[in-house]
Short mmCIF file of all heavy atoms in Angstrom, two decimals:
data_model
loop_
_atom_site.label_atom_id
_atom_site.label_comp_id
_atom_site.label_asym_id
_atom_site.label_seq_id
_atom_site.Cartn_x
_atom_site.Cartn_y
_atom_site.Cartn_z
N SER A 2 26.21 3.54 -37.86
CA SER A 2 26.12 3.74 -39.30
C SER A 2 25.03 4.86 -39.72
O SER A 2 24.12 5.05 -39.09
CB SER A 2 25.65 2.46 -39.93
OG SER A 2 25.70 2.50 -41.34
N ILE A 4 22.44 5.67 -42.68
CA ILE A 4 21.75 5.19 -43.94
C ILE A 4 20.73 6.20 -44.31
O ILE A 4 19.75 6.49 -43.43
CB ILE A 4 21.19 3.87 -43.70
CG1 ILE A 4 22.27 2.81 -43.27
CG2 ILE A 4 20.27 3.40 -44.75
CD1 ILE A 4 21.70 1.50 -42.75
N SER A 6 18.33 9.08 -44.50
CA SER A 6 18.15 10.32 -43.57
C SER A 6 18.44 9.95 -42.21
O SER A 6 18.28 10.73 -41.19
CB SER A 6 16.78 10.82 -43.66
OG SER A 6 15.88 9.86 -43.46
N HIS A 7 18.82 8.60 -41.75
CA HIS A 7 19.07 8.20 -40.49
C HIS A 7 20.49 8.20 -40.15
O HIS A 7 21.31 7.73 -40.99
CB HIS A 7 18.41 6.81 -40.31
CG HIS A 7 17.04 6.73 -40.63
ND1 HIS A 7 16.06 7.09 -39.86
CD2 HIS A 7 16.48 6.19 -41.82
CE1 HIS A 7 14.89 6.91 -40.47
NE2 HIS A 7 15.05 6.41 -41.59
N SER A 8 20.87 8.71 -38.98
CA SER A 8 22.29 8.77 -38.67
C SER A 8 22.52 8.04 -37.33
O SER A 8 21.56 7.96 -36.45
CB SER A 8 22.77 10.18 -38.47
OG SER A 8 22.07 10.87 -37.58
N LYS A 9 23.69 7.52 -37.11
CA LYS A 9 24.19 6.87 -35.90
C LYS A 9 23.25 5.66 -35.43
O LYS A 9 22.92 5.46 -34.31
CB LYS A 9 24.26 7.87 -34.74
CG LYS A 9 25.36 8.97 -34.99
CD LYS A 9 25.39 10.02 -33.90
CE LYS A 9 26.41 11.04 -34.37
NZ LYS A 9 26.41 12.07 -33.34
N LEU A 10 22.87 4.83 -36.45
CA LEU A 10 22.06 3.67 -36.22
C LEU A 10 23.01 2.64 -35.61
O LEU A 10 24.22 2.49 -35.96
CB LEU A 10 21.42 3.11 -37.49
CG LEU A 10 20.44 4.08 -38.05
CD1 LEU A 10 20.04 3.50 -39.40
CD2 LEU A 10 19.21 4.14 -37.17
N ASP A 11 22.54 1.82 -34.54
CA ASP A 11 23.38 0.73 -34.09
C ASP A 11 23.35 -0.36 -35.00
O ASP A 11 22.32 -0.82 -35.46
CB ASP A 11 22.72 0.34 -32.68
CG ASP A 11 22.96 1.34 -31.63
OD1 ASP A 11 23.96 2.15 -31.61
OD2 ASP A 11 22.16 1.49 -30.64
N LEU A 30 20.70 -4.46 -37.50
CA LEU A 30 20.52 -2.99 -37.51
C LEU A 30 19.32 -2.59 -36.68
O LEU A 30 18.20 -3.11 -37.12
CB LEU A 30 20.47 -2.46 -38.94
CG LEU A 30 20.17 -1.03 -39.07
CD1 LEU A 30 21.64 -0.32 -39.10
CD2 LEU A 30 19.43 -0.70 -40.30
N ASP A 31 19.44 -1.78 -35.69
CA ASP A 31 18.33 -1.31 -35.04
C ASP A 31 17.92 0.00 -35.53
O ASP A 31 18.66 0.82 -35.76
CB ASP A 31 18.52 -1.11 -33.48
CG ASP A 31 18.61 -2.47 -32.79
OD1 ASP A 31 17.96 -3.38 -33.23
OD2 ASP A 31 19.45 -2.48 -31.67
N GLY A 32 16.52 0.03 -35.93
CA GLY A 32 16.02 1.40 -36.56
C GLY A 32 15.46 2.30 -35.49
O GLY A 32 16.01 2.37 -34.39
N PRO A 33 14.61 3.09 -35.98
CA PRO A 33 13.75 2.93 -37.22
C PRO A 33 14.57 3.29 -38.44
O PRO A 33 15.35 4.23 -38.39
CB PRO A 33 12.65 3.81 -37.02
CG PRO A 33 13.08 5.00 -36.20
CD PRO A 33 14.09 4.23 -35.19
N LEU A 34 14.26 2.63 -39.49
CA LEU A 34 14.88 2.78 -40.83
C LEU A 34 13.74 2.76 -41.91
O LEU A 34 13.07 1.79 -42.02
CB LEU A 34 15.82 1.68 -41.14
CG LEU A 34 16.56 1.71 -42.51
CD1 LEU A 34 17.32 3.08 -42.63
CD2 LEU A 34 17.36 0.51 -42.61
N LYS A 35 13.62 3.80 -42.65
CA LYS A 35 12.63 3.89 -43.57
C LYS A 35 12.90 2.96 -44.74
O LYS A 35 14.05 2.89 -45.20
CB LYS A 35 12.52 5.35 -44.15
CG LYS A 35 11.87 6.27 -43.22
CD LYS A 35 11.94 7.73 -43.80
CE LYS A 35 11.53 8.76 -42.73
NZ LYS A 35 11.49 10.14 -43.24
N LEU A 36 11.94 2.26 -45.35
CA LEU A 36 12.12 1.31 -46.48
C LEU A 36 12.71 2.16 -47.58
O LEU A 36 13.44 1.74 -48.42
CB LEU A 36 10.87 0.73 -46.78
CG LEU A 36 10.54 -0.54 -45.96
CD1 LEU A 36 9.35 -1.15 -46.59
CD2 LEU A 36 11.67 -1.41 -45.77
N ASP A 38 14.71 4.46 -47.76
CA ASP A 38 16.13 4.70 -47.63
C ASP A 38 17.04 3.56 -48.01
O ASP A 38 18.14 3.58 -48.02
CB ASP A 38 16.55 5.28 -46.19
CG ASP A 38 16.14 6.53 -45.91
OD1 ASP A 38 15.88 7.29 -46.85
OD2 ASP A 38 16.03 6.88 -44.76
N ILE A 39 16.44 2.34 -48.37
CA ILE A 39 17.17 1.05 -48.65
C ILE A 39 17.06 0.94 -50.20
O ILE A 39 16.02 0.88 -50.77
CB ILE A 39 16.50 -0.07 -47.95
CG1 ILE A 39 16.41 0.14 -46.44
CG2 ILE A 39 17.32 -1.37 -48.33
CD1 ILE A 39 15.78 -0.93 -45.76
N PHE A 51 6.56 3.11 -44.65
CA PHE A 51 6.91 1.97 -43.82
C PHE A 51 8.38 2.23 -43.21
O PHE A 51 9.21 2.70 -43.92
CB PHE A 51 6.93 0.58 -44.52
CG PHE A 51 5.48 0.44 -44.99
CD1 PHE A 51 5.19 0.60 -46.33
CD2 PHE A 51 4.60 -0.08 -44.11
CE1 PHE A 51 3.94 0.22 -46.81
CE2 PHE A 51 3.17 -0.42 -44.56
CZ PHE A 51 2.94 -0.24 -45.84
N ALA A 52 8.51 1.75 -41.99
CA ALA A 52 9.84 1.86 -41.39
C ALA A 52 10.20 0.64 -40.54
O ALA A 52 9.13 0.03 -40.04
CB ALA A 52 9.93 3.01 -40.40
N LEU A 53 11.31 0.08 -40.56
CA LEU A 53 11.73 -1.12 -39.92
C LEU A 53 12.21 -0.73 -38.63
O LEU A 53 12.99 0.25 -38.47
CB LEU A 53 12.75 -1.86 -40.75
CG LEU A 53 12.55 -2.20 -42.20
CD1 LEU A 53 13.64 -2.91 -42.86
CD2 LEU A 53 11.33 -3.09 -42.16
N THR A 54 11.90 -1.62 -37.59
CA THR A 54 12.41 -1.28 -36.19
C THR A 54 13.68 -2.17 -35.98
O THR A 54 14.54 -1.74 -35.10
CB THR A 54 11.35 -1.59 -35.13
OG1 THR A 54 10.82 -2.96 -35.39
CG2 THR A 54 10.16 -0.64 -35.28
N LYS A 55 13.78 -3.25 -36.79
CA LYS A 55 14.93 -4.02 -36.68
C LYS A 55 15.07 -4.88 -37.95
O LYS A 55 14.27 -5.14 -38.71
CB LYS A 55 14.94 -5.08 -35.60
CG LYS A 55 16.15 -5.93 -35.39
CD LYS A 55 16.02 -6.90 -34.36
CE LYS A 55 16.21 -6.26 -33.11
NZ LYS A 55 16.49 -7.23 -31.88
N LEU A 56 16.42 -4.85 -38.46
CA LEU A 56 16.64 -5.65 -39.69
C LEU A 56 17.84 -6.44 -39.47
O LEU A 56 18.94 -6.10 -38.92
CB LEU A 56 17.02 -4.58 -40.77
CG LEU A 56 17.44 -5.21 -42.12
CD1 LEU A 56 16.31 -5.97 -42.73
CD2 LEU A 56 17.88 -4.06 -43.01
N ASP A 66 11.60 -6.49 -38.50
CA ASP A 66 10.50 -6.12 -37.61
C ASP A 66 10.00 -4.70 -37.95
O ASP A 66 10.80 -3.87 -38.17
CB ASP A 66 10.91 -6.15 -36.16
CG ASP A 66 11.51 -7.53 -35.69
OD1 ASP A 66 11.27 -8.58 -36.50
OD2 ASP A 66 12.18 -7.63 -34.59
N THR A 67 8.65 -4.62 -37.84
CA THR A 67 8.03 -3.40 -38.22
C THR A 67 6.71 -3.27 -37.42
O THR A 67 6.31 -4.25 -36.73
CB THR A 67 7.83 -3.14 -39.70
OG1 THR A 67 7.33 -1.82 -39.96
CG2 THR A 67 6.77 -4.06 -40.40
N VAL A 68 6.10 -2.14 -37.55
CA VAL A 68 4.74 -1.85 -37.00
C VAL A 68 3.85 -1.50 -38.15
O VAL A 68 4.12 -0.63 -38.92
CB VAL A 68 4.76 -0.77 -35.90
CG1 VAL A 68 3.35 -0.51 -35.52
CG2 VAL A 68 5.62 -1.23 -34.78
#
Side-chain angles (χ1 to χ4, degrees):
S2 179
I4 299 174
S6 62
H7 305 283
S8 61
K9 298 182 182 171
L10 294 170
D11 288 332
L30 176 87
D31 284 331
L34 175 63
K35 293 179 186 175
L36 285 185
D38 285 339
I39 302 173
F51 300 99
L53 303 176
T54 53
K55 180 181 278 190
L56 178 64
D66 300 344
T67 190
V68 176

